[in-house]
Amino acid sequence: MRAVRFESDGSVKVVPMPTPGPGPEDVLVQVLAAGVCRTDLHLLDDVRAGRREPLVPGHEIAGRIVKVGADVYMANPKDVVVVHFEQPCGECRRCRQKKTNLCQRGSSLGFNEPGGYAEYVRARQTTVLALPPDFDPALAAPLGCSGATAFRAVVTLGQAEREDLVVVVGTGGVGLSAIQIARVQEARVLGVDTREEARRAAVEAGADAAVPPTEAARTAEAMSGGAGADVVVDFVGTAATFTLAKSLLGYGGRLVPVAVGEEPIPVTSGDLVEGGKAYLGAYSTTMADLARTVALAESGRLKPVVSKRAPLSDAARVLDDLAGGRIVGRAVLEPPRT
Ligand SMILES: [Zn+2]
Ligand SMILES: [Zn+2]
C-alpha cells in the first residue's frame, strides 16, 4: 500500500509500505478519509527535531472494513466505520473502568502506530463504530478527534445543561463543534476569540454572542445576570486565556482546559474553594465520547465543517496550508479508492 510518512529531515513523503495484516481481534480498514489535525503539525516538528521516530500520521479516520481477524465479533467486512485512534490495552485497571483515555499500556494510531494517512490502517475491533450507509466518510473522519474532543469538554467533563452559560474560548475548528454541542444541551453560549472571522463563525455555529477577550467579562456578566459562567472551555491554553477563563467562572463553575499550555499561571486554592469551582483537564477521549458524538452528527445536530478535500498525495501541501493559516474548518485527505 501507499502511505504518507513524516521523515526525520522534515519532509512529508508518499512511500510504499506493506499492507498490515489484522491480528485475531483486529480489523483492516481501507481508509476513505483522514482528517488533517493541527496536532499533525506538532508531530512533524517532533520528527524533524529528533524527538520522535519517522511515522505515518492520521488520527481522524473513516473507512471501510475489508478484512477481519479470526476472533472478531464486533465488526463485519464492508462496514463503513469511524475509527478511534486510541488503541487501549483492554486489560489494565483504567480499561476495566472504561477510562480508556487514561490507558498507559495501549498505543495510538497516527502517533506510535501507523495512522490514517495511508490506504489501509489496522485497528482493534473495539475501536471502530459503524456509520449509517449514507454518511459521508469525509464528514465522519473529523469526529474521531475534534468532534469527540469537543463533546468530552462540553458534556462529559463540563456537564453543560439547560440554561447554563457555556463560554468557549477559541472558536476555531474544535471550538465551533463545542458551540454546536453546547446548543444541543440547550445552554446559552458565548464565544470568545481575538479574530473577527472566528467570531463570525461562532455566531453562525449557534453562539448567542461572540466577543473579543476584552469584552468577555462584561458580556458573560450580562448573559448570566451576574452569576458568571457554568462552564468555560479553553481551547487556546495560553496564560492569557486561562486567566480569562478562570475569571469568568461563577459558583459551581467548571473550567475545562483542552490545549496543552506551558506558560505558568498563578492559581490560589481560593480560586477553587470560593464558590466550589473545578478545573478539569480534557485528556483524549473514550469510545463513549465518540459514539455519542457520532449520534449527534447522524441526527444532524452536529455538522463538522469540512472545507477542503485533497488526495493523499497532496498531504505535504495541505499541511503547509494548515500551518500558514489558509484552512478554515477541516481539511480531509482522501486516498484513492481501489
Ligand atoms: Zn487531532
Ligand atoms: Zn489499558
Side-chain angles (χ1 to χ4, degrees), residues 37 39 59-60 145-146 330:
C37 178
T39 300
H59 58 274
E60 296 188 342
C145 170
S146 73
R330 214 49 162 187

Side-chain angles (χ1 to χ4, degrees), residues 88-92 95 103:
C89 79
E91 288 162 9
C92 70
C95 282
C103 174

Side-chain angles (χ1 to χ4, degrees), residues 13-97:
K13 283 200 184 119
V14 179
V15 295
M17 285 182 70
T19 302
E25 294 187 43
D26 297 336
V27 298
L28 182 66
V29 176
Q30 179 189 10
V31 179
L32 299 175
V36 179
C37 178
R38 196 154 276 280
T39 300
D40 298 333
L41 293 175
H42 299 308
L43 289 173
L44 181 56
D45 284 343
D46 283 352
V47 172
R48 186 187 288 123
R51 290 188 294 267
R52 275 180 187 271
E53 293 295 305
L55 58 88
V56 177
H59 58 274
E60 296 188 342
I61 308 163
R64 182 184 293 108
I65 295 179
V66 290
K67 215 185 256 185
V68 300
D71 297 333
V72 168
Y73 58 92
M74 295 176 72
N76 280 302
K78 295 192 182 153
D79 282 354
V80 175
V81 295
V82 58
V83 181
H84 199 302
F85 66 95
E86 294 284 22
Q87 302 286 298
C89 79
E91 288 162 9
C92 70
R93 186 168 65 93
R94 298 307 195 185
C95 282
R96 290 197 310 273
Q97 294 169 326

Side-chain angles (χ1 to χ4, degrees), residues 219-301:
T219 312
E221 193 81 358
M223 287 176 74
S224 61
D230 300 285
V231 183
V232 184
V233 184
D234 178 10
F235 286 107
V236 184
T238 62
T241 58
F242 193 101
T243 304
L244 173 67
K246 79 185 178 81
S247 76
L248 298 177
L249 283 185
Y251 274 33
R254 286 83 68 194
L255 167 53
V256 184
V258 180
V260 179
E262 282 165 10
E263 298 169 2
I265 299 141
V267 176
T268 66
S269 59
D271 287 337
L272 288 151
V273 174
E274 180 69 32
K277 294 160 191 165
Y279 298 175
L280 302 157
Y283 184 66
S284 195
T285 61
T286 64
M287 280 303 277
D289 295 322
L290 178 58
R292 294 183 63 190
T293 307
V294 169
L296 288 182
E298 277 180 31
S299 67
R301 288 179 289 173

